[in-house]
């Protein structure tokens, strides 16, 4: 499962049309990143759920989604969760604790990372595809036992900036709107710059 970090801020700043356009682009990116038997099962808001019988295919898909979204100007970073376990398929839906745990793991991941369960990591046949860092044991709602969680970092050597208002990625500062006083602070639009300056002048808005 993967969400867009900052989707609410973007929607509030740029409106529903911009948010819908971004989701359309997100789905296009995801569908072009599917590896092996991976398939996009559903989308709820900005959250997508990809299913596969192979943890390796899921890993390759997740890495491509992270890389390709981070290459989009004025897009958002992704964060998500990866888990491997048994599920019940009925009609067009999936049920089971594995679905719930994946969602809770995804909610804890920081922007630009995926968090993975120990079960998922152990199921991988090739762990050399990525860097996995243990984040220790965590308790999750309605899960009786602690779970060791690993962070999967999306390797990206590019320098980028993040619009502090709508959270969009700024890849090319040359086409962005610079702050007139603050160095290396860029905005996707004059509107975001105006909002930022207005809030900076009003302590009550922080």
């Amino acid at each position: 499962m993967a969400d867009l970090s900052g989707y609410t801020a973007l929607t509030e700043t740029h409106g529903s049309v911009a948010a819908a356009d971004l989701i359309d682009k997100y789905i296009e990116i995801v569908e072009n990143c599917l590896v092996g038997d991976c398939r996009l099962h559903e989308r709820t808001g900005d959250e997508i759920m990809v299913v596969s019988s192979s943890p390796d295919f899921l890993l390759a898909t997740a890495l491509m989604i992270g890389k390709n979204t981070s290459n989009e100007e004025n897009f958002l970073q992704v964060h998500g969760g990866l888990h491997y376990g048994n599920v019940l398929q009925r009609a067009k839906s999936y049920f089971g604790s594995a679905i719930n745990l994946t969602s809770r793991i995804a909610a804890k991941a920081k922007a630009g990372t995926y968090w993975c369960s120990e079960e998922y990591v152990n199921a991988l046949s090739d762990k050399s595809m990525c860097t996995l860092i243990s984040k220790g044991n965590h308790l999750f709602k309605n899960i009786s036992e602690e779970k060791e969680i690993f962070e999967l970092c999306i390797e990206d050597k590019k320098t980028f900036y993040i619009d502090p208002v709508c959270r969009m990625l700024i890849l090319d500062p040359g086409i962005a709107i610079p702050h007139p006083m603050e160095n290396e602070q860029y905005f996707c639009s004059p509107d975001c710059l105006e909002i930022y300056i207005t809030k900076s002048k009003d302590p009550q808005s922080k």
Side-chain angles (χ1 to χ4, degrees):
M1 293 184 181
D3 293 344
L4 294 173
S5 299
Y7 180 72
T8 300
L10 179 141
T11 303
E12 291 180 353
T13 304
H14 295 296
S16 57
V17 173
D21 289 343
L22 192 90
I23 290 296
D24 287 344
K25 183 63 179 179
Y26 185 35
I27 297 303
E28 178 186 341
I29 291 172
V30 170
E31 289 179 337
N32 288 331
C33 291
L34 298 174
V35 175
D37 69 348
C38 287
R39 63 184 181 87
L40 176 58
H41 172 63
E42 66 180 7
R43 176 191 67 81
T44 305
D46 63 314
E47 179 186 79
I48 57 101
M49 176 178 167
V50 175
V51 296
S52 171
S53 62
S54 166
D56 290 25
F57 288 160
L58 285 173
L59 175 60
T61 296
L63 291 173
M64 286 184 64
I65 292 172
K67 178 181 178 181
N68 290 354
T69 52
S70 67
N71 284 330
E72 286 288 327
E73 189 76 58
N74 292 342
F75 206 73
L76 295 172
Q77 290 181 290
V78 296
H79 69 275
L82 292 155
H83 180 53
Y84 194 67
N86 294 323
V87 295
L88 169 66
Q89 183 177 9
R90 178 170 293 175
K92 295 182 179 180
S93 298
Y94 288 95
F95 302 89
S97 60
I99 304 297
N100 298 331
L101 180 57
T102 306
S103 178
R104 303 199 193 294
I105 291 173
K108 287 200 171 190
K110 299 180 299 181
T113 69
Y114 295 95
W115 278 26
C116 317
S117 67
E118 183 180 11
E119 293 90 339
Y120 175 80
V121 172
N122 290 337
L124 289 171
S125 63
D126 183 8
K127 298 180 180 63
S128 66
M129 292 175 60
C130 59
T131 301
L132 291 162
I133 303 170
S134 176
K135 304 300 288 186
N137 292 336
H138 290 259
L139 282 171
F140 295 93
K141 184 179 179 181
N142 296 329
I143 305 294
S144 58
E145 299 179 353
E146 287 189 339
K147 296 284 186 179
E148 184 176 10
I149 300 300
F150 295 83
E151 182 177 280
L152 165 63
C153 295
I154 301 170
E155 300 294 339
D156 193 347
K157 304 298 182 181
K158 298 190 306 297
T159 298
F160 62 86
Y161 304 90
I162 296 179
D163 186 314
V165 176
C166 69
R167 312 308 297 169
M168 277 187 174
L169 289 167
I170 306 293
L171 304 181
D172 183 1
I175 61 174
I177 308 298
H179 192 284
M181 302 294 292
E182 298 180 13
N183 292 331
E184 298 191 340
Q185 188 72 273
Y186 298 95
F187 303 84
C188 73
S189 65
D191 289 342
C192 281
L193 172 59
E194 182 178 352
I195 292 171
Y196 182 83
I197 291 176
T198 299
K199 286 186 176 181
S200 297
K201 291 179 179 178
D202 181 8
Q204 298 298 322
S205 66
K206 295 183 179 180

